[in-house]
Amino acid sequence: MINHISELYGRQIPLRDLSEKLVANPNIVLREAITVQHGLTCVRCGTKLRRSTASLPNNQYYCYVCIQMGRVDTLTQLASVHEPNQFKGINDPLSWKGELTVLQQQCAEKVIEVFQNKRRHLLWAVTGAGKTEMLFKGINWAVENGLRVGIASPRVDVCIELFPRLQAAFEKVPVVLLHGKSEQPYQYSQITICTTHQLLRFYHAFDVLVIDEVDVFPYSGNPMLHYAVQNAVKPDGARLYLTATPDKSLFKAISRKKLSVSYLPIRYHGHFLPEITVNRTKNLDQLVDSGNLPRKILKRIAQLVADKQRFLIFVPHIKDLELVGRAITNARIDARFKTVYSADPQRIEKVALMRNEELDFLITTTILERGVTFPGIDVIVLKADDEIFSAAALVQIAGRVGRNSDRPTGRVLFYCQSKSGNIKSCDQQIKLMNRKAAKL
Amino acid sequence: MKECLMCKAPLRNEIRLSEIIRATPLINDPICQGCSNDFLDLADIPTCLGCGRKQTEGMSQPCRDCSRWQQSYPFNFSNCALYEYNQQMKDFMKQYKFNGDYYLRKVFSGQIHRQLKKCPDVIVPIPVGTDTMLTRGFNQVTGLLELVNYSNILKVKAKRKAVRQSEKNRRQRIELIQPFELIQSQKYLIENQSILLVDDVYTTGTTIRHAASLLYHAGATSVRGLTLAR
Ligand SMILES: [Zn+2]
Ligand SMILES: [Zn+2]
Ligand SMILES: [Zn+2]
């Protein structure tokens, strides 16, 4: 239930969710949640709806696409209040005292310029470049100037990781974290960190919107999330896209001059990206499918455990988790490990166990590929040639290694039956970055 | 490509071995194999003959709840359920009924049609109140019955005192005032007929028995129940 008018600033909330005394507030602007002129269109998520799917027996229509955010239908009105930028002026709100490398500093200045000129920009930085720190000065400028800042990512994990870092960097500024599983109630705050899904609840709210890991959902497959971004930012707001693995749609936007780009090919600690080692392994798929692993992989795992070298094992499918876990248990490798997948109800707890070094390794599906960092780990990818691993996903997986300056290197071991196109492309991308970095 | 209605994963329409062996007509499943496996089909396992729940070890036949019903309930009534009310079914109900994702009726409406198309009984859905109809926009039961010929005979009485189910003990629940009434103009459809009452979930069995009483009083010769879940 929405009780306070500030909860509607720059938002779009179904009218039925407003408390009775709020409904009469004259500042509230109402819009139909679904428009019926020129075909059915959901105003909240931008989807053109199929009549046959959307129709209800009471002669109304509902949106079946954004229904996870609570149903909107042709009887629903969305309530908004014009974003008033009602923030206390804070002088020099940045409490972070860290230092940027020369290259990071250049990017940070670029970010400020993008924000000041309300531009659309892509910051293309390798995994572990220290993207978040490069944002701080730009956000500092925005907050000082009373602007509303949003940071969105398609991944919950990324948001959860970002939140404490932003809170620590801007101690004096209220920061709110929004995602589907969070219990934290919504609060009008100058800095909002949220999943791109949560952006569906915003309307012309942000003067500055940062979209992290933008390539997770490619443009072509997810028009809804891109609509959400467009809707959540003010019409003249700045948009900053961050990625380590741009996709075709971003390249296209760049070549059409809809997007400017800056580039950072080296990690914050100045070391190159770890390159991948591809191990062709006969019958790997059949062995895994029958709950076994080749001796050489088991030996490698046992060795890593014995060396107290912590690591992640990536597998393509949820069903592989148990099979690989069983193969390792059956081989009597004495190790503490868990399996975790995206919809795992204990996912957050298991990741925390790994982070607290209470586990030697995690076996996981691609979900941990981004945002989640464990210092000093190695990475093993089983069935790396499975089509589920896109080149971008493989780059991200490899990017989990060598993040920390204490151990800027590490092993990235791909096990596969054949060296797929995606593996080759991943290999090329990493080597290209390293060549560019070498020229700096 | 078509997507699984529940998990949205792309659907590959694989022909299953069982379909080849049994030579059953090919059916385009609305959900993927994984989602389908998480529903527990009660058709092929032993169930309580009174309420349709899965028989577990040491359970009497009928189950204790049903024996108690036999003592307190004046009419002959038994229920059959298609699926167990397990986590997957709870998730489905949350999305379909509480979130109001009406299109999800398609997960089961085809199957229910195949099961009921030869049923000689008069099929009567449990109704929903006007408030629900207004906010949700549909009756979850008639949604499931979209491909079946059914008769709207019952409606929810206006202005019921709202007492939460959990706050009532069993006796109070049974003695509660009848929540339904007959649509008088439709009464002729049930006189001297066998009736199949349909609901989404059988929880305590109170709701469906209230409806059954009403139908018996109106002259039905027999009333059975069918629920999607138990
Ligand atoms: Zn929508
Ligand atoms: Zn599915
Ligand atoms: Zn029973």
Side-chain angles (χ1 to χ4, degrees):
Chain A
M1 187 66 72
I2 304 288
N3 289 307
H4 196 267
I5 189 77
S6 70
E7 293 170 68
L8 290 174
Y9 294 168
R11 303 257 285 166
Q12 44 180 4
I13 304 292
L15 189 60
R16 59 167 182 268
D17 295 343
L18 271 52
S19 70
E20 232 167 284
K21 67 171 205 293
L22 198 54
V23 169
N25 190 301
N27 294 316
I28 292 175
V29 180
L30 295 176
R31 289 171 303 142
E32 305 279 330
I34 293 178
T35 54
V36 292
Q37 305 86 1
H38 322 294
L40 287 178
T41 309
C42 176
V43 166
R44 184 167 64 178
C45 73
T47 308
K48 288 246 178 261
L49 300 166
R50 286 189 305 270
R51 261 171 205 276
S52 58
T53 309
S55 89
L56 289 167
N58 60 350
N59 296 321
Q60 305 297 328
Y61 297 93
Y62 78 102
C63 176
Y64 45 84
V65 177
C66 63
I67 189 161
Q68 294 302 346
M69 312 293 292
R71 191 177 86 181
V72 295
D73 54 45
T74 33
L75 295 174
T76 311
Q77 295 200 293
L78 293 174
S80 308
V81 174
H82 185 80
E83 172 61 54
N85 287 62
Q86 221 175 65
F87 306 114
K88 285 187 213 108
I90 301 172
N91 247 332
D92 203 12
L94 183 62
S95 34
W96 182 74
K97 295 285 174 262
E99 272 180 35
L100 296 174
T101 65
V102 176
L103 289 167
Q104 282 180 320
Q105 182 62 34
Q106 286 170 8
C107 283
E109 273 155 26
K110 190 81 189 173
V111 170
I112 297 177
E113 189 207 312
V114 167
F115 289 177
Q116 286 175 339
N117 297 310
K118 302 177 175 184
R119 280 181 28 212
R120 288 198 210 173
H121 185 80
L122 170 71
L123 176 53
W124 181 356
V126 291
T127 54
K131 277 179 301 176
T132 310
E133 288 76 10
M134 287 186 271
L135 296 176
F136 287 165
K137 293 201 171 168
I139 295 173
N140 186 51
W141 175 84
V143 170
E144 248 179 354
N145 284 278
L147 302 184
R148 192 170 185 187
V149 178
I151 303 169
S153 167
R155 293 246 186 230
V156 176
D157 310 69
V158 176
C159 297
I160 292 174
E161 289 247 338
L162 277 174
F163 179 60
R165 293 168 69 189
L166 263 295
Q167 251 185 338
F170 293 93
E171 283 168 356
K172 290 176 276 183
V173 187
V175 184
V176 71
L177 170 68
L178 308 171
H179 60 82
K181 290 170 201 143
S182 77
E183 261 115 62
Q184 192 185 2
Y186 176 77
Q187 229 184 341
Y188 180 56
S189 309
Q190 195 164 5
I191 300 177
T192 302
I193 298 170
C194 67
T195 55
T196 33
H197 268 98
Q198 294 292 325
L199 289 179
L200 290 169
R201 296 213 169 101
F202 288 89
Y203 185 64
H204 296 177
F206 301 109
D207 302 280
V208 160
L209 184 56
V210 179
I211 306 104
D212 199 358
E213 308 282 11
V214 57
D215 52 293
V216 172
F217 293 114
Y219 194 94
S220 51
N222 286 277
M224 174 172 97
L225 296 182
H226 294 266
Y227 177 89
V229 167
Q230 202 177 310
N231 228 359
V233 73
K234 285 183 184 172
D236 63 346
R239 282 181 236 178
L240 177 67
Y241 295 93
L242 302 176
T243 183
T245 49
D247 68 358
K248 279 181 202 138
S249 73
L250 288 176
F251 287 127
K252 218 183 236 173
I254 293 164
S255 67
R256 286 182 187 160
K257 305 239 187 298
K258 285 186 173 175
L259 201 63
S260 55
V261 61
S262 56
Y263 189 65
L264 184 58
I266 197 155
R267 290 183 154 176
Y268 76 95
H269 53 44
H271 293 266
F272 291 166
L273 296 171
E275 296 188 1
I276 61 176
T277 309
V278 181
N279 296 284
R280 307 262 287 268
T281 311
K282 261 194 208 157
N283 301 326
L284 179 62
D285 294 7
Q286 291 93 311
L287 278 166
V288 171
D289 290 348
S290 60
N292 294 297
L293 282 176
R295 281 257 314 277
K296 68 170 176 187
I297 297 181
L298 288 169
K299 261 174 80 182
R300 171 66 79 178
I301 291 170
Q303 191 59 50
L304 289 172
V305 172
D307 293 347
K308 299 206 173 353
Q309 171 58 52
R310 298 181 337 119
F311 56 103
L312 298 174
I313 300 178
F314 287 89
V315 296
H317 303 287
I318 290 174
K319 68 171 168 53
D320 301 320
L321 292 172
E322 202 214 323
L323 292 167
V324 171
R326 208 194 309 153
I328 292 169
T329 311
N330 288 346
R332 295 171 192 264
I333 294 171
D334 183 23
R336 302 163 302 171
F337 71 93
K338 295 245 182 275
T339 63
V340 60
Y341 58 99
S342 65
D344 193 331
Q346 292 170 325
R347 177 168 141 199
I348 291 165
E349 291 89 330
K350 288 172 176 175
V351 170
L353 280 178
M354 182 70 185
R355 184 158 302 129
N356 298 339
E357 308 201 2
E358 287 170 54
L359 296 176
D360 299 311
F361 61 95
L362 278 176
I363 310 174
T364 179
T365 49
T366 55
I367 197 63
L368 296 182
E369 80 207 19
R370 293 159 194 270
V372 179
T373 53
F374 305 105
I377 56 160
D378 282 354
V379 155
I380 292 174
V381 185
L382 298 178
K383 298 197 203 176
D385 50 347
D386 192 288
E387 61 186 13
I388 203 154
F389 293 121
S390 65
L394 291 172
V395 169
Q396 287 289 344
I397 288 172
R400 297 309 95 193
V401 176
R403 297 291 281 257
N404 207 299
S405 53
D406 294 343
R407 185 174 183 259
T409 58
R411 300 176 192 85
V412 183
L413 307 169
F414 284 11
Y415 292 94
C416 55
Q417 293 195 167
S418 64
K419 196 168 174 180
S420 67
N422 284 343
I423 296 177
K424 283 179 199 154
S425 162
C426 162
D427 193 32
Q428 285 161 1
Q429 279 193 45
I430 289 172
K431 285 178 175 155
L432 173 77
M433 310 271 178
N434 284 345
R435 275 202 305 277
K436 289 205 175 218
K439 285 187 201 148
L440 287 173
Chain B
M1 202 189 314
K2 279 180 83 175
E3 295 177 340
C4 168
L5 286 184
M6 288 196 70
C7 71
K8 312 295 178 205
L11 269 187
R12 287 171 294 182
N13 272 326
E14 299 152 10
I15 300 170
R16 285 191 224 140
L17 193 61
S18 63
E19 286 171 331
I20 299 169
I21 295 167
R22 289 195 220 150
T24 49
L26 291 183
I27 293 152
N28 280 340
D29 285 319
I31 55 173
C32 74
Q33 198 61 58
C35 288
S36 157
N37 288 345
D38 289 341
F39 288 111
L40 182 80
D41 194 333
L42 295 173
D44 305 321
I45 57 172
T47 52
C48 170
L49 297 173
C51 62
R53 70 152 56 120
K54 179 174 78 176
Q55 270 215 311
T56 48
E57 259 200 35
M59 210 173 92
S60 55
Q61 181 63 277
C63 73
R64 264 183 50 202
D65 287 348
C66 289
S67 311
R68 284 162 74 189
W69 273 120
Q70 283 176 351
Q71 286 160 26
S72 63
Y73 190 67
F75 299 105
N76 201 354
F77 181 82
S78 66
N79 185 66
C80 173
L82 300 177
Y83 294 95
E84 187 180 46
Y85 194 45
N86 60 6
Q87 193 55 50
Q88 172 79 345
M89 185 57 84
K90 283 177 190 165
D91 292 348
F92 168 81
M93 281 297 169
K94 182 173 180 288
Q95 181 67 6
Y96 172 54
K97 187 164 138 180
F98 297 108
N99 288 2
D101 200 347
Y102 182 57
Y103 195 68
L104 285 187
R105 68 195 186 279
K106 306 271 181 201
V107 173
F108 294 110
S109 64
Q111 183 201 349
I112 289 172
H113 171 240
R114 289 191 293 280
Q115 297 216 344
L116 291 186
K117 66 183 167 196
K118 290 193 182 123
C119 175
D121 297 1
V122 178
I123 294 168
V124 177
I126 297 288
V128 298
T130 41
D131 279 4
T132 305
M133 208 50 202
L134 218 63
T135 51
R136 191 182 295 160
F138 63 93
N139 172 349
Q140 69 277 4
V141 182
T142 54
L144 296 171
L145 291 173
E146 65 169 343
L147 304 170
V148 176
N149 278 324
Y150 61 84
S151 309
N152 274 323
I153 308 242
L154 302 171
K155 63 176 185 186
V156 176
K157 275 191 197 168
K159 280 188 200 160
R160 279 178 65 204
K161 252 186 281 171
V163 185
R164 292 234 328 272
Q165 285 257 328
S166 54
E167 289 162 7
K168 304 173 246 168
N169 69 32
R170 184 184 169 85
R171 230 202 149 71
Q172 282 174 320
R173 258 187 247 143
I174 295 162
E175 286 166 1
L176 260 187
I177 336 137
Q178 172 65 255
F180 305 117
E181 60 189 342
L182 286 173
I183 300 171
Q184 288 301 328
S185 61
Q186 304 297 305
K187 198 176 161 185
Y188 72 97
L189 289 169
I190 51 171
E191 279 165 359
N192 302 315
Q193 298 292 323
S194 297
I195 312 291
L196 184 69
L197 260 174
V198 183
D199 203 357
D200 50 354
V201 185
Y202 182 111
T203 313
T204 63
T206 311
T207 310
I208 202 164
R209 278 182 180 80
H210 274 307
S213 303
L214 203 59
L215 297 171
Y216 272 117
H217 282 302
T221 47
S222 83
V223 183
R224 297 181 298 152
L226 175 75
T227 58
L228 177 65
R230 165 63 170 119

